[in-house]
Amino acid sequence: MDHFALKNDPLAIAAREGSLHRNFQGYTTQANLDLLGVGLSAISLFPRLYTQNTRSLNTYIQSLSMAKLAIDRGLEINDPMVLLRRHIILELMCNFAIDFDSIAIDAEKLFRDEWKQLSNLEAEGLLTLGSNNVSVNERGRWLVRVIAAVFDPDTQQKPSGSRLV
């Protein structure tokens, strides 16, 4: 993990106890809290919805004066696969492990391409693959974002632009 906390800090305790959580703002000891963004461009988070407030001060003030939310855009997440991938990423990022039996899926079958990538990371000594689980090793904890990104389809797209040779 790329965060540091003192031994008696609530984040460190939650990490040891397996109750650490993560949202778009970072790590937290609280699970599934609704976050209401206040101010220009602020982001709100609800279980299946992200919203962002307007960036325009005039529009923001006008919306509030009319007792309306100043939301400029939002994203509703209903796709079960997106929700599953989000769960997997959070488990890896917070607990450095995921047991797919606990969510009743055959990961090697459902995530064939991802499993191949995980096998490569296992060969590098970053994680251990079980029959239906992934456990990030001590060495892999420093690269947990790379490991979790295996399950993020947006990071799997081919890079574009120029390359340094």
Side-chain angles (χ1 to χ4, degrees):
M1 175 174 33
D2 59 358
H3 288 58
F4 298 91
L6 297 174
K7 185 170 86 171
N8 293 326
D9 185 271
L11 283 177
I13 294 167
R16 281 193 304 275
E17 293 176 351
S19 61
L20 192 64
H21 298 279
R22 185 171 173 79
N23 59 38
F24 71 92
Q25 292 184 320
Y27 288 94
T28 177
T29 59
Q30 303 294 313
N32 304 321
L33 292 178
D34 291 344
L35 300 176
L36 181 60
V38 177
L40 295 176
S41 192
I43 298 172
S44 297
L45 170 66
F46 305 97
R48 294 181 180 211
L49 177 67
Y50 291 87
T51 63
Q52 184 174 21
N53 289 348
T54 182
R55 295 180 186 114
S56 163
L57 180 58
N58 289 337
T59 303
Y60 187 83
I61 292 170
Q62 183 180 15
S63 294
L64 295 182
S65 69
M66 296 170 28
K68 293 183 178 181
L69 295 174
I71 295 171
D72 181 48
R73 59 186 171 163
L75 175 65
E76 187 175 9
I77 303 171
N78 290 313
D79 183 339
M81 188 56 86
V82 171
L83 295 169
L84 174 60
R85 286 176 179 276
R86 184 165 76 171
H87 173 75
I88 293 166
I89 290 168
L90 290 177
E91 284 296 312
L92 290 170
M93 295 285 294
C94 293
N95 299 312
F96 302 113
I98 177 87
D99 178 6
F100 292 101
D101 289 333
S102 70
I103 52 177
I105 63 167
D106 181 346
E108 192 170 358
K109 189 179 216 178
L110 184 61
F111 298 109
R112 280 190 176 97
D113 293 338
E114 292 85 348
W115 208 259
K116 289 176 189 172
Q117 293 176 55
L118 292 172
S119 294
N120 292 336
L121 294 172
E122 181 179 40
E124 295 292 330
L126 301 178
L127 57 88
T128 303
L129 290 175
S131 61
N132 201 29
N133 60 66
V134 178
S135 179
V136 178
N137 297 338
E138 191 71 32
R139 183 175 174 208
R141 289 182 178 209
W142 294 101
L143 296 169
V144 71
R145 285 181 187 269
V146 173
I147 295 167
V150 167
F151 291 96
D152 183 352
D154 290 337
T155 63
Q156 301 304 314
Q157 296 175 2
K158 297 200 183 263
S160 61
S162 62
R163 290 179 23 188
L164 291 175
V165 179

